[in-house]
């Protein structure tokens, strides 16, 4: 029992959060070490055991652990320390100033995801101070490199130091925020992520002089394939999570969304409805489209070096996203149905999507704690079209949920905050999130027996 008096843990979490926002961990290059050191100082002071590992110089991840009795499997709280670049001239406040204005804290990482890092670290501190008996270990991981694919962060830990992060459950990002629809507040919990298939298309043709056009031009062949991909939706495969999510939204949505949302699950109507929605609410149209099918976005082009020479080869790189449960083979067959087989297709990098059960005591505990702090809020499982560190922890058999709680007002759009200009978090929403997360972890991990 310690006799020293502490501030209220919510305001301590807020102070830590602002300290982390002021540390520039823009990736590339990342340089997460100073952020890991700031967390190390806190754990050191509070007598919490921790380890710092570096996958490369400066690319630090920190893992801390509160030991339980081991009756049940560990819970891991994960947050990445790196952030995406911020374009200063488009920001109202310094993206690394942690400025307080209009009831919010502004800064790159305010939502993605130094908020969760600070809340999670302070959750361990509160638990440690309380002296609560834990039935499971509670692990904190503040990791490098999520924004560049996790190779120097969560994947490095999973490959090189699995004993530090092996756990039964993981709480991570992209869920637990307020999603307003009509007058209903939803709290989506991420239980599923799409996989990736990043690939290259190579068109070969006849080289020649630019003054003598011919029909076997590699650039033109590649352009035709890309045009076909850009103008075609791959087949719809509504997964049970997406089906359940859209129907849950529809049950509480106002007219006409309550009628339209379920129709998006009808493959014959979905295309027309998505085209219509793209004109009125493009964010929603793109989000729903990505949940319903595999997708491909051409992103990089390479061909030719001289304006008067027809090159013999043209290359494109494409970002493919694959629904969980659909194999790589099926995805590639869908792509080749659109572009034909004239071009060479090389897979550059691929991993499967994830899908986690909601019939777990942790999911039930999330529903209970949100119900306590927003009695009208509705918790609903959903899938994200991207991926997070969860795909790495899933390789060690963990059940991973995106639940980084924050209460947001209707006029603050969560998806726009992600990687957008003027990323910020309402102070009261942050404090609400800290209360929810720390209660959840306490309820789930303590045991009186
Ligand atoms: Zn993130």
């Amino acid at each position: 029992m310690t006799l020293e008096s502490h501030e209220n843990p919510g305001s301590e979490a807020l102070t830590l959060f602002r300290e982390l926002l002021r540390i520039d961990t823009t990736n590339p290059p990342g340089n997460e070490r100073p952020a890991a050191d700031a967390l190390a100082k806190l754990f050191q002071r509070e007598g919490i055991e921790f380890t710092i590992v570096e996958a490369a110089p400066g690319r630090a991840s920190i893992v801390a652990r509160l030991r339980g009795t081991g009756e049940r499997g560990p819970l891991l709280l994960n947050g990445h320390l790196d952030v995406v670049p911020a374009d200063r001239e488009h920001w109202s406040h310094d993206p690394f100033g942690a400025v307080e204005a209009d009831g919010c804290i502004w800064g790159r990482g305010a939502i993605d995801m130094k908020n969760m890092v600070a809340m999670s670290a302070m959750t361990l501190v509160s638990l440690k101070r309380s002296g609560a008996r834990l039935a499971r270990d509670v692990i904190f991981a503040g990791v490098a490199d999520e924004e560049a694919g996790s190779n120097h962060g969560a994947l490095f830990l999973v490959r090189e130091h699995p004993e530090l992060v092996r756990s039964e459950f993981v709480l991570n990002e992209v869920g637990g925020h307020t999603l307003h629809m009509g007058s209903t507040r939803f709290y989506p919990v991420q239980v599923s992520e799409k996989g990736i298939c990043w690939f290259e298309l190579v068109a070969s043709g006849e080289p020649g002089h630019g003054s003598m056009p011919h029909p076997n031009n590699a650039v033109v062949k590649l352009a035709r394939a890309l045009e076909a991909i850009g103008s075609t939706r791959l087949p719809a495969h509504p997964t049970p999570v997406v089906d359940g999510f859209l129907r849950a939204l529809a049950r509480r949505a106002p007219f006409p969304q309550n009628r339209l949302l379920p129709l998006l699950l009808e493959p014959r109507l979905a295309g027309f409805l998505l085209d219509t929605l793209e004109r009125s609410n493009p964010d929603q149209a793109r989000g729903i489209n990505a949940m319903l099918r595999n997708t491909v976005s051409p992103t990089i082009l390479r061909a030719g070096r001289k304006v008067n020479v027809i090159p013999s080869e043209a290359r494109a790189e494409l970002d493919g996203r694959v629904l969980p449960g659909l194999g790589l083979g099926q995805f590639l067959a869908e792509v080749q149905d659109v572009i034909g087989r004239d071009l060479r297709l090389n897979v550059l990098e691929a991993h499967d999507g994830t899908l986690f059960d909601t019939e777990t005591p942790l999911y039930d505990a999330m529903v209970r704690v949100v119900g306590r702090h927003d009695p009208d809020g509705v918790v609903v499982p959903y899938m994200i079209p991207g991926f997070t560190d969860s795909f790495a922890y899933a390789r060690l058999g963990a059940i991973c949920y995106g639940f980084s709680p924050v209460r947001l007002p209707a006029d603050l759009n969560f998806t726009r905050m992600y990687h957008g200009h003027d990323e910020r978090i309402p102070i009261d929403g942050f404090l609400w999130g800290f209360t929810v997360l720390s209660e959840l972890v306490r309820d789930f991990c303590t045991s009186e027996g």
Side-chain angles (χ1 to χ4, degrees), residues 80 112 146-147 173 418:
H80 61 81
D112 181 19
E146 193 276 342
E147 298 293 0
E173 62 181 330
Y418 252 78

Side-chain angles (χ1 to χ4, degrees), residues 233 264 270-289:
R233 284 196 181 97
L264 288 163
F272 170 75
L273 288 171
L274 286 169
D275 288 341
T276 312
L277 193 59
E278 173 67 33
R279 288 190 285 275
S280 59
N281 189 340
D283 284 346
Q284 203 176 54
R286 293 164 199 180
I288 292 174
N289 178 59

Side-chain angles (χ1 to χ4, degrees), residues 77-229:
L77 307 177
N78 180 73
H80 61 81
L81 303 175
D82 61 324
V83 296
V84 292
D87 216 345
R88 275 171 200 265
E89 74 242 40
H90 292 112
W91 282 63
S92 313
H93 301 283
D94 176 3
F96 299 99
V99 172
E100 176 180 346
D102 309 321
C104 293
I105 303 293
W106 300 59
R108 178 56 88 216
I111 288 279
D112 181 19
M113 64 175 299
K114 287 176 172 171
N115 57 324
M116 177 71 169
V117 173
M119 295 191 310
S120 301
M122 270 311 295
T123 293
L124 262 72
V125 168
S126 296
L127 273 175
K128 174 77 165 49
R129 286 178 189 165
S130 75
R133 178 183 183 276
L134 298 170
R136 26 175 126 241
D137 287 9
V138 184
I139 306 170
F140 164 89
V143 300
D145 204 33
E146 193 276 342
E147 298 293 0
S150 307
N151 263 310
H152 292 301
L155 274 176
F156 175 75
L157 285 168
V158 163
R159 275 196 308 257
E160 306 294 330
H161 302 279
E163 72 290 350
L164 291 178
V165 290
R166 185 171 282 120
S167 43
E168 183 177 6
F169 292 102
V170 173
L171 291 178
N172 186 28
E173 62 181 330
V174 210
H177 54 278
T178 327
L179 171 70
H180 294 264
M181 187 127 200
S183 57
T184 305
R185 284 185 302 281
F186 289 94
Y187 291 89
V189 171
Q190 195 259 97
V191 301
S192 182
E193 298 183 351
K194 278 174 115 174
I196 59 166
C197 175
W198 294 337
F199 64 97
E200 178 186 52
L201 286 179
V202 186
S204 302
E206 216 176 290
H209 197 278
S211 65
M212 305 270 281
H214 61 67
N216 194 14
N217 181 321
V219 175
V220 175
K221 283 194 200 169
L222 181 65
R224 276 195 204 108
L226 297 180
E227 154 59 21
I229 282 189

Side-chain angles (χ1 to χ4, degrees), residues 294-370:
N294 299 328
T295 60
V296 180
S297 294
T299 47
I300 297 177
L301 284 174
R302 284 192 205 93
R305 261 171 296 178
K306 221 164 168 294
V307 70
N308 60 349
V309 178
I310 297 172
S312 58
E313 216 174 64
R315 291 168 183 264
E317 288 180 28
L318 302 94
D319 179 353
R321 303 291 173 139
V322 186
L323 288 165
L326 267 77
L328 198 58
Q330 178 166 355
F331 168 75
L332 294 174
E334 289 182 0
V335 170
Q336 286 192 306
D337 279 349
V338 176
I339 62 169
R341 287 172 189 275
D342 289 352
L343 278 57
R344 230 162 48 238
L345 191 161
N346 304 321
V347 174
L348 303 172
E349 194 172 332
H351 72 245
D352 288 336
T354 55
L355 172 60
F356 302 103
D357 197 0
T358 56
E359 309 270 310
T360 67
L362 180 56
Y363 193 88
D364 294 343
M366 285 190 283
V367 172
R368 276 198 307 274
V369 72
V370 169

